[in-house]
Amino acid sequence: MKLLSIVTPCYNEEANVEELYRQVKEICSCLMGYTYEHIFIDNASKDETVSILKTLASQDPNVKVIVNSRNFGHIRSPYHALLQARGDAVILMVADLQDPPTMIRDFVQKWEEGYKVVLGVKNESEESRLMFAIRKLYYNFINKVSEIELTKNNTGFGLYDQQVIKVLRQIDDPYPYFRGLISDIGFESYKISYIQPSRKRGITKNNFYTLYDIAMLGITNHSKIPLRLAAMLGFAMSAVSFTVAIVYLLAKLMFWNYFVVGIAPLVIGLFFFSSVQLFFIGIIGEYIGSIHTQVMKRPLVIEKERVNFSEDLEHLGKKEAIMR
């Protein structure tokens, strides 16, 4: 019997976790030749999410719960949960039911065909058209500037072979860009298109800051083009400024009594160059911030408690002892 691990990060999802559990259980119970575990990692929810998960875990030993000591964000917490999964194949899906559980069957089928990575690609979405268009623009942009080919319109929803998870465990990254890491590792992947449903219950936890954070993380982790663009643009603007200065000087010398420089070009030029400098200082700051995060080497999360993990801990302890 092969073990299938379903990993679900959640934060304030009391309206969705029980329904997600029910759908995942119904699908996994029908997969012949498989047992499964459903790992929920809670990012210190302020509603009744943890209570609901503990109730489910007390009724079903397949449900395993990790509760974080605080909210460690939408990047570190899911990644930590993936590393705890011991299944032959691991499926990551969010708690808001926007990752359709019905695709588990398709993922497993392609995995059985030999693919180490099977990704869900949302080429269409029932969410806001404006937001979906912005996301597509971002994916197109990062693919053009990235040093590797990244999967467009994938949020991490997909199946990953345990061999992939073992590679991830060897990567010491305290703030990983998971989608980029999967592309960077280089295992052959199969992509399955789906229409992303809209959220039916609760409110999204994503805001401008979280979206900006993951967008900049993807750029700083996989591209040096912004830094090189700053250097090239600085050189080009210096050349243009020098040329303009020479032209102004010659014009003034040739038409001393008629040519008036005026203050407007000076003010416009000052504000223009200042804004460009601030923009690229911000870009450099993002890279420095990324380096600072890597250097600190803080743990991905601090766990407050675990539920239904006792056998796994014993298993991992024996495995580590053997490796030593």
Side-chain angles (χ1 to χ4, degrees), residues 32-217:
M32 301 300 295
Y34 285 89
T35 58
Y36 84 101
E37 62 178 4
H38 196 164
I39 302 174
F40 290 89
I41 183 164
D42 182 83
N43 232 346
S45 292
K46 298 178 181 179
D47 60 4
E48 297 300 315
T49 302
V50 175
S51 298
I52 295 172
L53 292 176
K54 287 183 176 180
T55 300
L56 294 174
S58 66
Q59 299 170 353
D60 187 348
N62 292 324
V63 176
K64 300 178 180 182
V65 183
I66 300 174
V67 182
N68 295 338
S69 61
R70 66 170 179 83
N71 189 337
F72 285 90
H74 64 298
I75 293 174
R76 296 158 68 182
S77 185
Y79 189 78
H80 174 74
L82 282 171
L83 302 185
Q84 313 311 306
R86 61 187 181 91
D88 298 289
V90 182
I91 295 177
L92 176 65
M93 61 171 53
V94 294
D96 58 12
L97 294 170
Q98 288 190 280
D99 294 341
T102 52
M103 292 186 65
I104 292 175
R105 299 189 189 94
D106 301 322
F107 289 160
V108 171
Q109 179 182 348
K110 290 301 175 183
W111 176 61
E112 289 286 7
E113 292 177 9
Y115 292 96
K116 299 295 185 184
V117 177
V118 186
L119 300 175
V121 176
K122 51 175 185 176
N123 289 331
E124 296 183 47
S125 176
E126 296 177 0
E127 67 176 339
S128 164
R129 291 186 177 181
L130 176 61
M131 181 58 68
F132 188 66
I134 293 174
R135 291 179 190 273
K136 290 192 73 172
L137 285 174
Y138 166 71
Y139 287 125
N140 289 331
F141 170 75
I142 194 172
N143 248 345
K144 289 181 179 179
V145 301
S146 177
E147 298 169 354
I148 58 174
E149 184 178 355
L150 303 176
T151 302
K152 297 180 181 179
N153 302 322
N154 172 256
T155 59
F157 176 42
L159 179 147
Y160 308 94
D161 186 89
Q162 183 60 227
Q163 187 177 349
V164 178
I165 303 300
K166 288 179 181 177
V167 173
L168 293 178
R169 291 193 184 107
Q170 298 171 7
I171 299 174
D172 186 15
D173 191 340
Y175 205 68
Y177 183 63
F178 176 66
R179 287 168 266 183
L181 279 179
I182 294 301
S183 298
D184 208 4
I185 289 172
F187 284 104
E188 184 180 6
S189 64
Y190 187 90
K191 300 169 182 62
I192 301 177
S193 298
Y194 71 100
I195 300 175
Q196 184 188 46
S198 60
R199 174 186 275 269
K200 299 297 190 298
R201 309 181 191 90
I203 58 173
T204 180
K205 310 309 179 295
N206 286 327
N207 52 39
F208 174 78
Y209 175 77
T210 59
L211 295 175
Y212 175 83
D213 183 37
I214 197 166
M216 291 306 301
L217 183 63

Side-chain angles (χ1 to χ4, degrees), residues 253-305:
L253 292 175
M254 294 172 63
F255 308 101
W256 187 270
N257 295 323
Y258 306 101
F259 185 76
V260 180
V261 177
I263 197 171
L266 297 176
V267 173
I268 294 172
L270 176 64
F271 278 94
F272 175 72
F273 284 108
S274 297
S275 62
V276 171
Q277 286 178 333
L278 288 174
F279 174 75
F280 283 111
I281 287 173
I283 292 293
I284 294 171
E286 291 288 348
Y287 281 91
I288 293 174
S290 180
I291 295 170
H292 178 64
T293 301
Q294 296 289 333
V295 169
M296 287 192 297
K297 293 295 182 184
R298 289 177 177 171
L300 288 167
V301 305
I302 301 297
E303 296 182 9
K304 180 180 179 180
E305 62 178 315

